[in-house]
Amino acid sequence: MDNFFSAEDLALLNEELEEMEHSAVEKEPEDTEMNASARRYQEIIKKHKGDC
């Protein structure tokens, strides 16, 4: 599989993901759209870090 990103791009993406992982998002407990987004975000973080 071809990698369309340079090493610099991947390093920047990794830094941004690390920053996002440590940031907090205020959400309402009953906000199902936000809950779904939060779950998807966690899946992306796990996949990126190789936890899957």
Side-chain angles (χ1 to χ4, degrees):
M1 176 191 268
D2 290 335
N3 187 353
F4 297 103
F5 299 100
S6 69
E8 293 83 19
D9 289 338
L10 293 174
L12 181 59
L13 176 62
N14 189 46
E15 288 176 22
E16 290 174 355
L17 286 171
E18 289 288 330
E19 183 178 320
M20 288 172 58
E21 186 177 25
H22 298 294
S23 66
V25 175
E26 297 292 325
K27 66 177 185 172
E28 297 294 322
E30 300 300 320
D31 188 349
T32 57
E33 183 177 337
M34 193 66 153
N35 290 340
S37 295
R39 284 192 303 274
R40 179 67 185 136
Y41 171 75
Q42 289 299 324
E43 290 172 10
I44 291 169
I45 293 296
K46 284 182 183 179
K47 184 175 182 180
H48 176 72
K49 290 190 174 250
D51 293 344
C52 289

